[in-house]
């Protein structure tokens, strides 16, 4: 490699046109997925206090947001449901008339250009807020699989393109794949939250999804933040069980995991820039400590550069807007 003064890297940084020409990582609206929170009723639009611009809405209002997302060229939406009532086993999760299933049907009818992904988990539906059935204070893995299967089937019946299990039970991807195939839904894809870490950065989401565990935490089923080899095993296991795409979550603090999973599996990879990552950028910008627009774009391009094909982010619309204007 030539060295100074032959090699002057600044030559290609001199103008915006030169920088644009040699930029290595591109971000497109079609790679962004917007999470949406849907609840029963009509005309409902409740702000989430810790996440500016994020709302819990009823299906009619969700369509307004989804149309705006489609007009900006976003790749898709990821749906979370807040049921009318919760119980110990989370039976609202497989209600064909629940908010998620209604939203899926409405989206497939009204906004067909968006990929519709549904979050599959029990924590929004259980009265104790854990991601599965509780037995002696712990989440019972195998008993939970049946509930996740029922939830996935309900979403597939409604017409979801992709179901995305986020519960971190062992064996759930295989159980869901077998049930989807047996039910005639062999074309419904699975995006597994393969490496989902027990993270402090989920705080604001739990207000949005009303899913805070009433006792304990999720360290008994979500991954320890220190583990990379285990993340690779999780990703391979989910792929072997039938996952079509895998996810790493959170994104920003786990970019090495994003890079490793992409490099070693070669599978389509999503990374989830979670609520706390979003809230931190907003909070610092509100105080005038950072430039929100630039911090947003830098965080997103960093996630792409690490190897994510798809980014799930609450910034999806803002980022798409700024990409279209740029
Ligand atoms: C449900 C789920 C969570 C998130 C996505 N799916 C919360 C959790 O595990 O507690 C977090 C998303 C975010 O923080 O934006 N299990």
């Amino acid at each position: 490699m030539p060295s100074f003064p032959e090699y002057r890297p600044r030559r290609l940084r001199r103008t915006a046109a030169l920088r644009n020409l040699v930029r290595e990582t591109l971000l497109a609206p079609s790679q962004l997925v917007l999470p949406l929170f849907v609840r029963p009723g009509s005309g409902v639009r409740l702000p989430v206090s810790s996440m500016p611009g994020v709302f819990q809405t009823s299906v009619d209002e969700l369509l307004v947001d989804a149309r705006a997302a489609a007009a900006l060229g976003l790749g898709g939406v990821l749906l979370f449901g807040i049921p009318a009532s919760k119980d110990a086993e989370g039976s609202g999760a497989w209600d064909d008339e629940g908010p998620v299933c209604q939203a899926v049907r409405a989206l497939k009818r009204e906004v067909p250009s968006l990929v519709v992904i549904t979050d599959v988990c029990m924590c929004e539906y259980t009265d104790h807020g854990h991601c599965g059935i509780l037995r002696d204070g712990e989440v019972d893995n195998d008993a939970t699989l049946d509930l996740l299967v029922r939830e996935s089937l309900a979403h597939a019946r409604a017409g979801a393109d992709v179901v995305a299990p986020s519960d971190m039970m062992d064996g759930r991807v295989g159980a869901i794949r077998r049930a989807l195939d047996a039910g005639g839904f062999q074309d419904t894809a699975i995006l597994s939250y393969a490496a989902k870490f027990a993270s402090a950065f989920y705080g604001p989401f739990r207000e949005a999804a009303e899913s805070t565990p009433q006792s304990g935490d999720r360290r008994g089923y979500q991954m320890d933040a220190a583990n990379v080899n285990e993340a690779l095993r999780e990703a391979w296991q989910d792929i072997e069980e039938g996952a079509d795409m895998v996810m790493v979550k959170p994104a920003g603090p786990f970019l090495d995991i994003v890079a490793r999973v992409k490099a070693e599996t070669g599978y389509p990879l999503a990374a989830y820039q979670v609520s706390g990552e979003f809230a931190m950028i907003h909070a610092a910008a509100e105080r005038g400590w950072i430039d929100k627009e630039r911090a947003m774009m830098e965080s997103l391009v960093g996630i792409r550069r690490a190897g994510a094909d798809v980014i799930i982010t609450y910034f999806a619309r803002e980022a798409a807007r700024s990409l279209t204007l740029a």
Side-chain angles (χ1 to χ4, degrees):
M1 174 175 160
S3 54
F4 180 82
E6 290 79 24
Y7 182 51
R8 287 181 183 269
R10 285 185 55 186
R11 286 187 200 116
L12 294 182
R13 294 180 201 147
R14 197 169 48 83
T15 66
L18 280 166
R19 292 192 294 273
N20 290 341
L21 185 69
V22 299
R23 181 159 301 124
E24 296 178 36
T25 306
L26 298 178
L27 194 57
S30 62
Q31 298 162 328
L32 304 176
V33 169
L34 179 69
L36 293 172
F37 299 92
V38 57
R39 56 182 304 144
S42 67
V44 180
R45 180 171 286 275
L46 303 174
V48 176
S49 67
S50 51
M51 299 172 73
V54 176
F55 300 87
Q56 297 179 342
T57 68
S58 48
V59 173
D60 52 342
E61 291 289 320
L62 174 131
L63 286 176
V64 174
D65 292 346
R67 285 196 189 96
L72 286 161
L74 295 192
V77 291
L78 171 62
L79 302 182
F80 293 94
I82 297 114
S85 65
K86 307 194 185 209
D87 57 33
E89 63 165 3
S91 60
W94 51 86
D95 179 0
D96 288 306
E97 297 310 318
V100 168
C101 289
Q102 288 194 23
V104 171
R105 287 191 293 267
L107 285 167
K108 293 318 292 179
R109 195 174 58 234
E110 308 277 330
V111 202
S113 66
L114 289 174
V115 173
V116 176
I117 309 172
T118 57
D119 184 84
V120 171
C121 193
M122 303 311 301
C123 64
E124 298 114 78
Y125 301 95
T126 52
D127 50 16
H128 47 74
H130 277 288
C131 300
I133 286 262
L134 278 189
R135 191 144 303 155
D136 305 326
E138 277 187 43
V139 176
D140 182 331
N141 190 89
D142 297 14
T144 300
L145 296 181
D146 180 48
L147 313 186
L148 298 167
V149 160
R150 287 199 228 175
E151 182 177 14
S152 302
L153 283 170
H155 296 175
R157 272 194 298 275
D161 297 299
V162 183
V163 293
S166 69
D167 51 282
M168 289 302 277
M169 298 304 121
D170 295 330
R172 89 271 209 220
V173 174
I176 291 169
R177 186 68 271 161
R178 285 189 293 277
L180 288 173
D181 287 359
F185 300 108
Q186 58 281 344
D187 292 329
T188 306
I190 299 176
L191 164 59
S192 79
Y193 288 65
K196 175 173 178 181
F197 292 87
S199 171
F201 293 99
Y202 303 149
F205 171 94
R206 293 182 183 166
E207 178 198 336
E210 301 182 7
S211 66
T212 308
Q214 298 306 303
S215 62
D217 57 34
R218 304 207 202 288
R219 288 175 222 236
Y221 41 104
Q222 297 180 350
M223 282 187 57
D224 187 299
N227 295 356
V228 58
N229 291 315
E230 185 190 357
L232 293 168
R233 290 197 298 274
E234 279 278 9
W236 276 123
Q237 185 179 42
D238 286 1
I239 289 167
E240 274 157 27
E241 289 181 22
D244 301 283
M245 302 186 254
V246 290
M247 192 194 300
V248 172
K249 172 185 174 188
F254 296 90
L255 292 181
D256 58 324
I257 312 275
V258 171
R260 290 281 302 274
V261 170
K262 183 64 192 179
E264 294 187 27
T265 70
Y267 259 66
L269 177 65
Y272 197 145
Q273 182 181 52
V274 301
S275 56
E277 300 176 74
F278 173 82
M280 281 194 304
I281 292 177
H282 264 283
E286 257 168 42
R287 294 181 176 206
W289 290 351
I290 54 171
D291 177 332
K292 185 179 80 185
E293 169 87 15
R294 290 190 53 203
M296 163 180 84
M297 295 313 277
E298 191 175 318
S299 66
L300 295 173
V301 92
I303 296 166
R304 281 272 301 141
R305 194 187 61 238
D309 302 295
V310 174
I311 306 177
I312 300 167
T313 173
Y314 303 96
F315 282 126
R317 273 173 305 190
E318 259 181 285
R321 225 171 274 126
S322 97
L323 288 168
T324 328
L325 297 176

